[in-house]
Amino acid sequence: MPQEEHSEKALSGVPVHVAVIMDGNGRWAQNRGLARTAGHKEGLETAKRIVKAASQLGIKYITLYTFSTENWKRTQEEVGYLMGLIRTHLRAEFKFYKENGIRIEYIGNIDGLPPDVQKEIESARNDTKDFTGLTAVLAINYGSRDEIMRAVKKAAALDSQKLSSLTEDDFSSMLDLPSLPPVDLLIRTGGEKRLSNFLLWQSAYAEFVFSDTLWPDYQAGEFEKNIEEFSRRNRRFGGVNK
């Protein structure tokens, strides 16, 4: 499918942090009589164009739900293919990161991944650590409940005085990537309307946009429209308009 044209100028009122549940790869492939793995390959290309569009719009952080803790339940073939995509493409895309100033970070229980995949993730992170543009956060072997439970265990190791005075900011510092700001906008493609254990703590006051478009068909133009919709939202954070 040809890429949709979109503007490269920054919009007013853009979110600082956009999170994306990239849903619909498997259905996209099945609708075409292809193996589900073909959808994941096409979905990778979509991720690249959306990351680039986010950078051009002036967004500072984008978190992509790459592989969840629940995805291990899929077939061995599909899981192996997804691990292979991560293994082969992270370092291969260095030119793309450099040209667009993109810094790679990750969240999730990396220790639960194959050693060679862990190595590639860490290499991509280290190779891009000095880039100053958009930060692309890959949620890999990630589940929000798992992240929160791991943070709880860190908190439980505090002495009683520190634990009794623990604040929300203190707890946030124990999450996988303390520098990650709260989610402003969460987008889910593929027609489903649920969070699927994604960034539950960070999305407490996020705005949500649900798209019926399957992820491989999601274009930069639709992404920009979603950002424009966000800019029209009235965010009160539990307060009232003055």
Side-chain angles (χ1 to χ4, degrees):
M1 176 175 291
Q3 293 192 13
E4 186 175 316
E5 293 296 324
H6 70 103
S7 69
E8 295 187 3
K9 64 179 180 180
L11 300 173
S12 61
V14 297
V16 173
H17 180 191
V18 176
V20 185
I21 300 176
M22 306 177 290
D23 194 15
N25 289 341
R27 283 173 286 157
W28 181 91
Q30 290 172 338
N31 289 346
R32 289 160 174 75
L34 303 172
R36 288 175 58 86
T37 52
H40 295 307
K41 183 176 181 181
E42 190 68 24
L44 175 65
E45 296 304 314
T46 301
K48 285 179 61 177
R49 66 173 173 260
I50 297 306
V51 166
K52 184 173 182 178
S55 177
Q56 292 171 340
L57 290 170
I59 294 165
K60 299 300 183 185
Y61 294 84
I62 186 166
T63 300
L64 304 174
Y65 209 0
T66 306
F67 188 88
S68 79
T69 51
E70 288 75 31
N71 286 157
W72 296 107
K73 300 174 185 177
R74 297 186 178 185
T75 66
Q76 185 175 357
E77 178 188 10
E78 187 171 354
V79 169
Y81 187 83
L82 287 166
M83 290 297 111
L85 279 182
I86 296 168
R87 184 187 301 112
T88 58
H89 281 273
L90 273 175
R91 187 174 299 182
E93 298 297 345
F94 179 78
K95 182 179 179 182
F96 172 76
Y97 307 145
K98 186 175 182 180
E99 288 176 347
N100 294 280
I102 294 165
R103 184 165 66 100
I104 299 297
E105 278 286 1
Y106 66 86
I107 55 175
N109 187 1
I110 193 173
D111 292 338
L113 295 170
D116 56 347
V117 176
Q118 293 182 41
K119 181 180 178 182
E120 290 303 321
I121 294 169
E122 289 289 2
S123 294
R125 181 176 180 271
N126 290 331
D127 290 346
T128 62
K129 61 183 173 59
D130 295 325
F131 295 166
T132 58
L134 170 107
T135 298
V137 183
L138 307 179
I140 300 178
N141 197 26
Y142 178 84
S144 190
R145 288 181 175 181
D146 177 69
E147 178 187 30
I148 290 169
M149 285 301 301
R150 287 186 282 109
V152 166
K153 291 175 182 178
K154 292 177 186 177
L158 298 173
D159 61 50
S160 58
Q161 183 176 356
K162 289 182 178 178
L163 185 58
S164 64
S165 61
L166 189 74
T167 66
E168 287 188 8
D169 286 342
D170 294 332
F171 187 78
S172 292
S173 72
M174 298 175 184
L175 297 173
D176 288 348
L177 188 58
S179 61
L180 189 66
V183 176
D184 296 302
L185 172 63
L186 189 148
I187 299 170
R188 180 171 187 150
T189 63
E192 304 291 350
K193 296 178 175 63
R194 55 179 177 268
L195 289 178
S196 297
N197 196 19
F198 185 49
L199 296 174
L200 302 179
W201 178 275
Q202 297 89 338
S203 297
Y205 280 100
E207 298 293 322
F208 297 89
V209 170
F210 297 101
S211 168
D212 290 331
T213 305
L214 300 178
W215 177 247
D217 288 332
Y218 187 73
Q219 301 291 328
E222 182 174 355
F223 178 70
E224 184 172 307
K225 289 177 181 177
N226 294 158
I227 301 304
E228 290 175 341
E229 180 178 343
F230 168 86
S231 71
R232 295 191 294 269
R233 300 276 181 94
N234 181 13
R235 305 183 75 199
R236 298 187 298 276
F237 298 96
V240 296
N241 290 330
K242 296 182 179 180

